[in-house]
Amino acid sequence: DALFAFHQRHYSANAMRLCVVGKQSLAELEQLVLPLFYPIPNINRPPPAWPGEPYASTMRRALVNVPVRQLRLLTVLWPMPPI
C-alpha cells in the first residue's frame, strides 16, 4: 500500500528525465521510446529536491574502466533515505 501511495503521489512525467543513446537515427529512437514513455501521466508534481550532498565525501572517487569487450550498459545508483 505504501509503495502504491508513493507511486500515485510522485510518479509524474514532468518530474522525470530520459536520456536515450543509440546508433539509430533520432526518428528511429523516437519511434522506439515514445510508445514506452508517452503514456506516463503528468500530474504536474514539482520535482523532488533533497537538501545537502547526495554522496558523502568519502564516497566520491573516480573510477577508470578499461573495456575488455564491447558492452552497452549503464547503471546509476544513488543512496536515498527510506520512505
Side-chain angles (χ1 to χ4, degrees):
D1 290 335
L3 181 59
F4 184 72
F6 179 86
H7 181 274
Q8 291 291 96
R9 206 170 38 252
H10 297 286
Y11 198 75
S12 181
N14 72 298
M16 299 177 183
R17 302 296 177 265
L18 175 67
C19 176
V20 179
V21 178
K23 60 184 175 182
Q24 299 88 341
S25 70
L26 180 57
E28 290 172 310
L29 289 172
E30 193 171 319
Q31 284 180 336
L32 292 169
V33 171
L34 272 178
L36 299 171
F37 294 95
Y38 186 76
I40 296 174
N42 180 2
I43 61 170
N44 290 316
R45 165 109 179 46
W50 291 277
E53 294 288 324
Y55 294 102
S57 60
T58 57
M59 294 177 70
R60 294 184 195 140
R61 61 182 170 209
L63 298 175
V64 178
N65 184 8
V66 179
V68 291
R69 64 184 171 125
Q70 188 174 9
L71 177 68
R72 293 184 177 142
L73 175 70
L74 173 65
T75 304
V76 179
L77 303 170
W78 60 91
M80 292 184 63
I83 57 171

